[in-house]
């Protein structure tokens, strides 16, 4: 029993250290438009900040098309157009809504199909900073030959010193770190089975 307690304590300590490293290495949030790419994708979630950021860089001429991945079935195109401040024709012609994805892995699959349809190989990926490591991991596993450029949006979970703004924020970051570890583990298992 003592050995089990020691083992669990050791695992807990390693997990906590890993969490601290994970948070410390989160990408900085962007305030400059990325280099030109074929397409832009935003993985929805965390309110409208991600969508607004993706629309902003798309409106400025980056990318030929914009994919909003993981759109809720009840969210209309008209509702999303309320976030758009540019030329309505560009929104109508070149903003695609993906409604199939229910997870980050699903976002990556949706992006892969969209990019394949349009023959896009250079993608700007927009999501929150805390979600970016897992988003990149899942996307790169689906699209190993594509160039994925991250564009991180502030979630509000971290203060200017890079520390959680509240207990709730800390728990959200801890949950995301656990999902990130699980995605790594699944990727490792899949590579063994390949």
């Amino acid at each position: 029993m003592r050995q089990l307690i020691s083992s669990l304590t050791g695992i807990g300590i390693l997990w906590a250290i890993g969490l601290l490293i994970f948070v410390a290495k989160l990408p900085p949030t962007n305030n400059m438009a990325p280099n030109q790419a074929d397409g832009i994708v935003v993985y929805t979630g965390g309110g409208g900040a991600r969508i607004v950021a993706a629309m902003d860089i798309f409106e400025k001429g980056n990318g030929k098309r914009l994919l909003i991945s993981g759109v809720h079935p009840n969210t209309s195109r008209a509702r999303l157009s309320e976030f758009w401040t540019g030329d309505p024709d560009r929104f109508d012609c070149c903003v695609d809504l993906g409604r199939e994805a229910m997870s980050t892995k699903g976002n990556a699959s949706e992006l892969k199909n969209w990019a394949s349809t349009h023959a896009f190989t250079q993608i700007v990926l927009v999501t929150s900073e805390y979600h970016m490591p897992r988003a990149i991991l899942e996307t790169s596993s689906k699209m190993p030959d594509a160039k994925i450029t991250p564009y991180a949006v502030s979630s509000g979970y971290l203060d200017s010193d890079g520390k959680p703004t509240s207990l709730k924020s800390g728990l959200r970051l801890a949950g995301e770190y656990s999902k990130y570890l699980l995605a790594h583990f699944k990727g490792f298992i899949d590579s063994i089975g390949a």
Side-chain angles (χ1 to χ4, degrees):
M1 186 67 170
R2 185 178 295 173
Q3 223 173 4
L4 177 61
I5 292 172
S6 295
S7 295
L8 291 175
T9 301
I11 291 170
I13 290 170
L14 287 174
W15 179 89
I17 292 170
L19 173 61
L20 292 174
I21 294 170
F22 174 79
V23 172
K25 290 191 170 184
L26 288 176
T29 54
N30 298 74
N31 55 19
M32 293 179 59
N35 293 332
Q36 188 69 26
D38 295 327
I40 297 169
V41 62
V42 54
Y43 290 176
T44 57
R50 298 178 189 181
I51 295 173
V52 169
M55 285 185 173
D56 182 58
I57 58 177
F58 183 60
E59 182 187 334
K60 290 175 179 170
N62 292 78
K64 300 168 187 170
R65 301 191 72 83
L66 166 63
L67 171 64
I68 304 174
S69 176
V71 177
H72 191 278
N74 295 336
T75 303
S76 69
R77 186 173 185 85
R79 173 70 181 102
L80 288 173
S81 72
E82 293 173 13
F83 292 103
W84 182 256
T85 60
D87 180 355
D89 290 342
R90 185 158 165 81
F91 181 87
D92 292 339
C93 82
C94 306
V95 175
D96 302 310
L97 308 186
R99 298 183 182 273
E100 300 297 319
M102 303 293 287
S103 65
T104 304
K105 189 172 184 177
N107 289 135
S109 294
E110 198 163 61
L111 170 58
K112 179 182 178 181
N113 293 336
W114 178 79
S116 177
T117 297
H118 297 289
F120 290 167
T121 58
Q122 297 184 67
I123 306 292
V124 174
L125 171 57
V126 181
T127 191
S128 298
E129 83 282 73
Y130 77 97
H131 182 236
M132 189 62 77
R134 184 161 59 99
I136 290 290
L137 179 67
E138 296 281 17
T139 303
S140 296
S141 71
K142 293 282 185 186
M143 304 174 65
D145 297 325
K147 179 184 176 185
I148 309 295
T149 301
Y151 187 90
V153 179
S154 175
S155 62
Y157 294 152
L158 298 168
D159 63 20
S160 58
D161 295 325
K163 296 176 182 172
T165 54
S166 66
L167 176 59
K168 184 177 178 181
S169 296
L171 292 174
R172 187 64 186 261
L173 292 167
E176 179 58 31
Y177 171 61
S178 296
K179 290 178 184 179
Y180 176 69
L181 290 179
L182 185 59
H184 258 298
F185 179 72
K186 285 180 179 177
F188 174 71
I189 296 298
D190 289 345
S191 69
I192 292 175

